[in-house]
Every structure is written in structure tokens, then in C-alpha cells.
Amino acid sequence: MAANGAPAPPRKRRIGVMTSGGDSPGMNGAVRAVVRMSIHMGCESYAIYEGYEGLVQGGDLIKEMHWEDVRGYLSRGGTLIGTARCMAFMERWGRLKAAKNMVDRGIDALVICGGDGSLTGADKFRAEWPSLLKELVETGELTQAEVDPFQHLNIVGLVGSIDNDMSGTDATIGCYSSLERICSAVDDVFDTAASHQRGFVIEVMGRHCGWLALMASIATGSDFVFIPEKPPRVGWEDQMCDIIATHRKRGKRRSIVIIAEGAHDRELNKITANQVKDLLTQKLNLDTRVTVLGHTQRGGHACFYDRWLSTLQGVEAVKAVLDATPETPSPVITIRENKIERSNLMETVALTKSVSAAIAAKDFDKAMQLRDVEFKEYYNSYVITTSTDHPALRLPEERRMRIAIIHVGAPAGGMNPATRAAVAYCLTRGHTPIAIHNGFPGLQRHHDDKPVGSVRECRWIDVDPWVNEGGSEIGTNRGLPSSDMKKTAECFGLYKFDALFLIGGFEAFTAASELRKAREQYDVFKIPLVVLPATVSNNVPGTEYSLGSDTCLNTLIQFCDAIRQSASSSRRRVFVIETQGGRSGYLATMAGLSVGALAVYIPEEGINIHMIARDIEFLRENFKNDQGASRAGKIILRNERASTTYTTQVIADMIKEEARGRFESRAAVPGHYQQGGKPSPMDRIRALRMAIKCMQHIEDRFTGKSKDWIADDPLSTVVIGIQGSEVVFTSMGGPTGLEATGTDWGDRRPKNEFWLAMKETVDILSGRPKLTDCC
Ligand code: ATP
């Protein structure tokens, strides 16, 4: 009862958040999202500092968190609330103290971001919870009345680990940032290796899990990789030297071997970086050096993907806490391709442990099976692109095809790695890969059966260095087949293409559509036409992800971080930053989510005077509440086509005018800088996986088929894409195909933009009021 006799208001739920085990980039994003989402949902939020140590010790290590406390968290590396390995929590007496501290502070739900050890500890805590409370009452530490409101403990796990060693999720928070550190180091080593024609053996983290080593190998085009789940076969020494010698003979000037720190042979004898180095030196006479990357792999700010993942998973964790019933098993928040999901925490941990057990039992096939499907696919794709002269992998003569590759539209990170992967796959299988240089205009330029050199067969040695190159090495162009369909058809006939692989954005999609429709006049277009989306705008129908968008977002968040820091704490400044994206607000929204923008303007919503008035008012409030060090610049993101009237400069000027000296504003346009330099590791590895899937689609479905059969098959004109939790091919033609049902041709974007639902999350986490709340 309240003092006036009215019933006391219901107790607000208190949700604790902690980071535990090894730190990983993105943990801060998770803490920020949990704190703000908890507050948004009407709960109170508590941070448990120093992992389980804080829970056991209590006192100042358990602290209520307010909205402003997590300001600026997204761009910071490590974990700002600390982490530790806590021996006391392994013992019942430690967990008893932790339980008492939680009841004392009124916390009955915990979101834990850590590895499998931390999550095991959390589940054990939950299972013991009733007995811990009973013991606390029996020993007189707490009364029955004190423990009564806390009968059930909710636990939700978030997987924070750089190793990506948790089964049941495609990615853990931190693994892509770590991969980025590794790739950037290997890229640098490449340059010096090529200059001196040296060999390098690079050791990366991963005691039981080879994810970092494998993905770094794919992303940097290493010659050989050692991972714990798939030890090399007996006689690996010769196999490795043969592969490297073959690559050298073809003209490769640099040789790189990547080795996970937990690498071993099939008898579990450790394979060390020095051992590999000695082999290369002695057997191949190669001047070889060892580089151990060590803790640099953990450090630094989180990349775009880890900010995105940790934010969305943090939001989901709070929803899971509020949905939980006493019967619900503890969930862990996972991701499958592009879909955030909830899985059973203990089943996921058990699956993870079974991988280590399979390795310990030397059952490596089982270890690979227990890893995610995606991991196995990546491994097979890597092998098939590094063993291009393996006779057993070659197809019989009659099944080989002439596969043309073309880039269409603006350059995007990942175009080159995708081309390299497709070419390597073709060479391994015996197909003929043919590059069309400078897009359709390049193709259309030839005269009277006299090729002008824009159509060329690809050699492995030419494309191999493209593994980490940005832009488009074969040249890309926005021109479409329709600008000269007759000439396009003549060239298809002249070069006898059996399939066309188009890499590009909305123009590539449009080009494939035009060619498909022109099949009625030209038989030469009755071949498989496969589109791999590659555009920073991520606006191609049929996919939630395009190559290049990750590279662009990484570049954009670096720009935003740098520009925000430039505002010293004495200057109250708002930056209105203009993003690319055409008529799609994807880039602006995703960048907004990962830099914590105060407002995002997108073409899908447009801009009106009420929105600007609301946001100026919101800025005033925001600056008023801002104290001390957190007074860095604020960011507003505006897509380049969000409004023709309210341009980036106009919005910046309006803010300045209305702020009346209390704060100032600046417009900033990163422009083509957003297309990025080298493609991000995610764009590189997905380029490989998707390009190979495209080649396999062409090979498995269409070899030996007649032109009419191909033209009648809806899957002969397709877009490959990620949709939710799957990678799928979607037909473009026909009454249900993407052209008819999935494409907003006027605005050049998909009809259903999956990310629009995330726009609300950006607003929730920045605290931006709804228009109806204020105007
Ligand atoms: P990383 O992947 O970085 O090693 P992790 O979460 O697996 O992260 P651990 O050192 O295994 O790291 O666990 C972190 C903390 O979790 C431990 O110090 C301990 O406090 C707690 N913990 C781990 N396993 C258990 C367990 N079985 N019972 C109780 N608490 C545990």
C-alpha cells in the first residue's frame, strides 16, 4: 500500500546486463541496446560490472544505468562495463552470494553476453535459483517475504566471442571485427610478401574453432589453411608444398599459409607455425617468415556488422526476458544468415561442446557435421578455388560450358572477389570463364565480327590478386543491353556463351530482365542468366544483402565516428550527413543503427516540416541533458534522395537558425568515399560463397539442356540472395517472378524492404519521440 492507502504501483522489473569471459568488439553495443530497450519497455536497467565477479561482490559493481550512461558506447572497443573470469561463481557459495545480491537489488532477469562458459554458468545459476533462495532463507540471510517476489530468474544469453565458436549461430558478436583486424594485417603482409616473393605463415586465434583461420584464408586468398576441425590428411606436408609450388609456377609472387592456434594433425599432434615455416624453407627453398597476430585480433572498435548484430540482439534479448514464463527454457539469441532468432541456450552450449568432444575423439567428419552448414560450405568453396588443377574435380568434356562474366552498374566492394571465385571454380571444373570488359557498352563496341578485346578468357594468375581488390578490375558500366540489343545478340552468338553471370546492382537486374524478354527475338539469350547483387545501395529485389553494402557501411561508420569526435566537448554540434542509396533508405537506416544517429531521413518516409521541427526540439532536449565527456557531436543521417526541398544543407541551416546559438550544425557529404577501398571481409567471403553457388546452379541445372528447355525454366533467369535465414535463387520472370511481383520499378528498389522494420529500432534507441507524441 502507498502512504495514501492506494495500492502501491507494480514493481518495475529490473533487468541486469553483464559481459563475461573474453572481451569482444560489439559487447558495448549489446549493453547499450539492453539498457535502452529495458528503459523503453518500462523496466529499470542495471549493469553488473566485471562479469560474475560483480554479481558475487555486489556493492558498487552493480549499478543502475540511465539512458545517458550508455551514450557513445557503440563506437568504443572492448567492454566498458568490464569482464572477468570469476572462480567464485564456479562454486555454490559464490552463486549463493550472487543470488543474495540480486534479491537485495531487486534484479530478477539477467542478460549475459559471453562465451559458452559464461552461458553454462548462467544456466546453472538459473537451475539452482530456487534452492539458492531456500538456503538464503534457511540461513537467515533473507526472509521469506524478501524472496517471495523473486521466485523465477530469467536468463537470456548473447554470444560474445571473437572466435565464432558457438554452434547454432552463424556469427557471434565480435567475430567479424576480429576478422577485419586479421585481414587488414594479412593484406599488409601480402604487399611485402609479393615485393620480396616471400612466404608467410600467419597464426591466428582459435583454439578449438577454425572459423577465423578459414574465413581469413578465403578473404585473403591464402594458399593453405590449418584448422582444428579438419586436420590435413596424412602426407599433408607434400600436399601443401605441391599446392604452393603449383601456384608459384603459375606466377604467384607471394605464398601465404594461415594457421589456427589450435591446429593439429589427424593424431592430434600440434602443428605449429614454425614447423610449417621450416617445411616451406627446406622443401621449397622459400624465404618464409612467421607472423603471430596475437591480441591485436581482439582490439579496436566494432565493425558495422558487430554493431548491427549486437544492437538487434540486445533488443531481442529484452523482448525475450519480457516474454519468458517460468516454463520457458533459457534462450540464447542467435542469427541465421540475416534473421535474428531465439534458440535453446543449453542445447546450443551442448552442441558447441560436442564439437570439441568430436575433435578430441578424432572424429573429424562429425566435428565438421556439427559445425554450421555454412561453415562446411565455406570450407568446400575454399578448397575448390585453391586446387584448380585437381584432375578428380574436372568435368567430362561434354559437360563443360563457356561462362561469361559481366559487371553492370556502379562499382561495389566484392565484385572482384566474386569474379575471382567464379573464374577459379570454372577452371577447376573445366569450364571456360570469359570476362566481358566494361559492361554491355564494352560488348557492343565490336565491329563486323572483329573483336575489340573486350571479351577475354580469364587466366587464374590474372584474377588471383583480385581477392582483396576494391572496384571492378574488368570494368563496370551502367549501359544496358537495350541500347543495342541486336549487337548484343550478335556478340552472344559470336562468342558462343552458354551462360551469363551478371554481378551488379539494379542495372544488372534490369539487364537480365531485358535479355530474358528479348529471348523471343534472339535464341542466343536462351541461356542461364544469373544475377549476383553487388551494390552499396542494397536495393536489388530478391535479396536482403548485396555485395558491397557491408564495405560501404564500414566506411560510413568510420566517417561518422571521426566527424563526431571532431566536435570537442566545448562545442555543441550536430552533423547532418548525407548518405548514398538512391531511392532506398537502407544505408542511412543501417548506418543510423550502428552509429546511434539521433534521426534518419529516408525516401520511403520523405521529410516534412513537422519532422524537422520535432527533431530540432529533440536536439534541444538532448543537448540540455548532455553533460561532460558525452557531449561529442550528434549525428543526423539523410539519404541523398529523401527530399528535393529539404536538402542536407537546408536541414543543417534550419537547425542552426532554430538553435539560436545553443548549438550549431554542419552538413557533411562523404560522397563516393562511401564506395570504400578494399572490400570488407564479409563482402569478400560472401562473394566467394555466392559466386560458387551461382556457378553450381548453372552447372547442375543446365548442362546438356536445349535452348527451349532453358527458356521455359523459371530458374533460368534468377537472382541469388539472402532472404531471412536462407540463401535462395529467386526467379525473375513469369507471373510470380521478381520482375512482376517484387520490384518497384519506379523507385528502383524491392517492393518489400525487409529493413524498414528496423527503422523503429533506430528511433527507439535514440529516444526520438514519435511525431504523434509531439506535433
Ligand atoms: P571465452 O569464449 O572468451 O573463453 P567464456 O564465457 O567461455 O568466454 P569462461 O572463462 O569459460 O569464458 O567463463 C567465464 C566465466 O563464466 C567463468 O570465469 C565463470 O565465472 C563462469 N563459468 C564458466 N563456466 C561455469 C560453470 N560451469 N559454472 C559456473 N560458472 C561458470
Side-chain angles (χ1 to χ4, degrees):
M1 286 275 186
N4 59 4
R11 187 176 64 86
K12 274 193 175 182
R13 289 203 66 177
R14 292 186 173 168
I15 301 176
V17 57
M18 73 156 80
T19 51
S20 173
D23 65 310
S24 65
M27 281 182 158
N28 291 326
V31 171
R32 170 182 180 270
V34 171
V35 167
R36 292 204 167 169
M37 190 64 184
S38 300
I39 297 171
H40 173 77
M41 299 301 282
C43 306
E44 287 170 350
S45 175
Y46 280 75
I48 321 287
Y49 282 74
E50 318 304 341
Y52 288 115
E53 198 60 46
L55 210 55
V56 173
Q57 286 191 25
D60 287 348
L61 294 181
I62 303 179
K63 195 178 134 219
E64 183 171 2
M65 298 293 271
H66 302 285
W67 193 269
E68 294 75 27
D69 293 334
V70 288
R71 190 158 280 165
Y73 264 42
L74 273 168
S75 56
R76 306 279 301 275
T79 162
L80 290 162
I81 61 171
T83 181
R85 306 210 191 253
C86 169
M87 285 309 119
F89 198 76
M90 306 284 279
E91 313 279 338
R92 186 172 162 92
W93 66 264
R95 295 192 290 275
L96 203 62
K97 280 185 76 180
K100 176 161 188 307
N101 283 327
M102 285 188 56
V103 174
D104 281 346
R105 305 300 286 267
I107 301 168
D108 63 359
L110 269 184
V111 178
I112 293 136
C113 183
D116 58 344
S118 305
L119 301 187
T120 306
D123 198 70
K124 194 179 218 171
F125 192 41
R126 185 196 180 186
E128 275 182 1
W129 183 255
S131 78
L132 294 171
L133 294 194
K134 191 160 169 268
E135 191 174 332
L136 287 168
V137 174
E138 281 168 3
T139 54
E141 298 242 25
L142 292 171
T143 66
Q144 190 60 44
E146 282 171 324
V147 302
D148 274 348
F150 298 97
Q151 288 308 310
H152 304 290
L153 171 67
N154 290 144
I155 297 283
V156 179
L158 295 173
V159 196
S161 160
I162 60 162
D163 294 338
N164 202 6
D165 54 357
M166 184 70 90
S167 299
T169 186
D170 287 350
T172 54
I173 295 170
C175 69
Y176 275 100
S177 302
S178 180
L179 184 62
E180 217 168 273
R181 300 288 110 73
I182 294 171
C183 291
S184 141
V186 180
D187 286 348
D188 294 347
V189 164
F190 257 35
D191 293 338
T192 169
S195 309
H196 294 271
Q197 300 210 44
R198 276 195 182 127
F200 271 87
V201 184
I202 297 170
E203 184 188 294
V204 304
M205 283 188 173
R207 264 172 292 147
H208 307 290
C209 176
W211 190 88
L212 282 175
L214 176 60
M215 298 308 150
S217 288
I218 291 173
T220 61
S222 82
D223 298 82
F224 206 80
V225 65
F226 291 93
I227 56 173
E229 300 89 336
K230 187 86 183 167
R233 56 179 158 81
V234 178
W236 61 266
E237 295 88 344
D238 289 338
Q239 187 203 4
M240 176 183 73
C241 290
D242 284 351
I243 288 179
I244 292 176
T246 310
H247 290 175
R248 286 261 159 186
K249 245 183 264 152
R250 287 182 185 163
K252 196 167 175 175
R253 288 177 61 87
R254 56 197 181 189
S255 303
I256 307 274
V257 174
I258 295 186
I259 181 165
E261 59 179 337
H264 47 70
D265 65 16
R266 299 189 79 82
E267 290 306 316
L268 303 182
N269 301 309
K270 191 164 173 51
I271 300 177
T272 65
N274 276 321
Q275 196 182 340
V276 175
K277 180 202 113 176
D278 291 344
L279 269 168
L280 296 181
T281 314
Q282 286 153 18
K283 288 201 166 206
L284 298 179
N285 209 12
L286 201 62
D287 178 8
T288 310
R289 308 291 158 99
V290 169
T291 301
V292 180
L293 295 181
H295 275 76
T296 54
Q297 293 165 80
R298 273 194 192 282
H301 69 255
C303 65
F304 157 72
Y305 183 81
D306 282 328
R307 297 187 193 192
W308 174 88
L309 184 69
S310 59
T311 299
L312 293 184
Q313 289 196 332
V315 166
E316 184 66 15
V318 174
K319 289 183 184 164
V321 164
L322 299 177
D323 289 347
T325 65
E327 291 74 40
T328 323
S330 301
V332 59
I333 311 298
T334 53
I335 180 156
R336 179 86 46 219
E337 301 296 351
N338 207 31
K339 191 156 180 258
I340 309 281
E341 296 178 343
R342 295 177 198 176
S343 308
N344 182 306
L345 189 148
M346 276 329 282
E347 282 174 18
T348 308
V349 170
L351 196 62
T352 306
K353 291 197 166 137
S354 62
V355 178
S356 303
I359 294 174
K362 302 182 196 166
D363 191 347
F364 303 112
D365 288 341
K366 188 170 171 199
M368 281 302 271
Q369 256 165 27
L370 290 169
R371 280 252 176 266
D372 306 315
V373 182
E374 200 197 78
F375 185 79
K376 249 191 311 182
E377 255 181 49
Y378 273 121
Y379 182 79
N380 293 338
S381 302
Y382 171 74
V383 170
I384 212 161
T385 50
T386 39
S387 323
T388 47
D389 61 349
H390 205 303
L393 297 172
R394 197 129 311 167
L395 288 170
E397 198 77 48
E398 67 279 7
R399 295 198 59 207
R400 300 182 187 171
M401 301 170 99
R402 290 173 59 78
I403 301 179
I405 305 169
I406 192 166
H407 294 180
V408 191
M415 281 180 152
N416 288 326
T419 307
R420 171 188 178 270
V423 169
Y425 182 89
C426 286
L427 295 174
T428 304
R429 303 292 278 163
H431 302 301
T432 306
I434 303 160
I436 301 174
H437 293 252
N438 304 319
F440 285 99
L443 182 72
Q444 291 155 352
R445 259 195 7 244
H446 90 108
H447 301 290
D448 307 325
D449 294 356
K450 283 198 209 82
V452 290
S454 57
V455 180
R456 281 176 247 158
E457 286 187 20
C458 305
R459 295 186 316 149
W460 182 84
I461 190 61
D462 297 331
V463 302
D464 188 62
W466 298 355
V467 67
N468 58 6
E469 293 293 341
S472 159
E473 287 290 329
I474 64 172
T476 185
N477 196 293
R478 288 182 193 276
L480 291 170
S482 53
S483 65
D484 195 340
M485 196 58 91
K486 188 161 165 285
K487 193 61 132 287
T488 307
E490 274 170 28
C491 293
F492 271 52
L494 178 65
Y495 295 104
K496 299 188 173 54
F497 298 150
D498 295 316
L500 180 67
F501 181 38
L502 303 100
I503 306 174
F506 203 87
E507 278 93 359
F509 181 84
T510 311
S513 165
E514 288 182 0
L515 293 173
R516 188 191 66 76
K517 288 178 187 151
R519 281 172 173 170
E520 285 182 11
Q521 291 108 327
Y522 303 103
D523 265 9
V524 283
F525 298 145
K526 292 179 176 174
I527 57 173
L529 306 166
V530 179
V531 178
L532 171 54
T535 162
V536 300
S537 308
N538 198 19
N539 61 340
V540 180
T543 187
E544 295 174 8
Y545 159 84
S546 303
L547 296 179
S549 55
D550 185 68
T551 302
C552 172
L553 281 158
N554 274 320
T555 314
L556 206 50
I557 64 171
Q558 276 167 25
F559 182 87
C560 292
D561 284 355
I563 214 167
R564 179 160 34 200
Q565 276 200 343
S566 75
S568 72
S569 58
S570 59
R571 266 198 220 121
R572 305 177 147 219
R573 190 172 279 174
V574 187
F575 295 95
V576 186
I577 298 173
E578 183 174 298
T579 71
Q580 291 190 331
R583 300 277 304 151
S584 165
Y586 172 81
L587 279 183
T589 306
M590 294 303 119
L593 198 68
S594 47
V595 300
L598 283 192
V600 176
Y601 297 122
I602 57 174
E604 287 81 353
E605 291 176 349
I607 307 177
N608 61 44
I609 192 75
H610 301 295
M611 286 179 179
I612 298 175
R614 176 259 322 255
D615 290 333
I616 291 173
E617 194 49 42
F618 177 43
L619 278 168
R620 274 199 199 111
E621 281 297 306
N622 219 283
F623 277 115
K624 205 165 74 192
N625 298 332
D626 239 2
Q627 297 301 327
S630 65
R631 257 199 291 170
K634 316 269 178 220
I635 304 271
I636 288 179
L637 290 160
R638 177 191 171 278
N639 162 289
E640 59 188 355
R641 307 276 297 275
S643 160
T644 45
T645 310
Y646 299 110
T647 63
T648 305
Q649 191 60 52
V650 165
I651 295 175
D653 290 344
M654 286 173 82
I655 292 173
K656 198 173 191 169
E657 180 79 17
E658 292 296 322
R660 297 193 194 97
R662 272 173 286 187
F663 48 90
E664 53 176 55
S665 70
R666 292 274 194 281
V669 184
H672 282 78
Y673 173 74
Q674 289 164 80
Q675 306 208 338
K678 284 187 183 291
S680 70
M682 173 178 276
D683 281 335
R684 298 185 205 178
I685 63 173
R686 284 189 167 167
L688 173 107
R689 181 170 170 230
M690 292 185 147
I692 287 181
K693 272 182 176 291
C694 291
M695 292 302 110
Q696 287 169 337
H697 175 74
I698 293 170
E699 182 183 286
D700 294 346
R701 203 171 170 91
F702 301 103
T703 35
K705 292 290 192 301
S706 71
K707 285 209 170 302
D708 287 335
W709 187 95
I710 294 173
D712 285 345
D713 180 12
L715 290 180
S716 66
T717 317
V718 286
V719 174
I720 188 173
I722 294 180
Q723 289 177 23
S725 59
E726 288 173 53
V727 178
V728 288
F729 287 97
T730 313
S731 168
M732 289 179 59
T736 56
L738 283 171
E739 291 169 38
T741 61
T743 310
D744 176 347
W745 288 97
D747 283 330
R748 293 166 53 89
R749 61 190 185 209
K751 269 193 185 146
N752 290 322
E753 293 182 293
F754 77 99
W755 53 267
L756 270 177
M758 295 177 205
K759 178 73 178 29
E760 195 191 351
T761 309
V762 183
D763 290 347
I764 288 174
L765 296 182
S766 70
R768 188 189 192 196
K770 284 200 162 111
L771 212 47
T772 44
D773 295 344
C774 58
C775 301

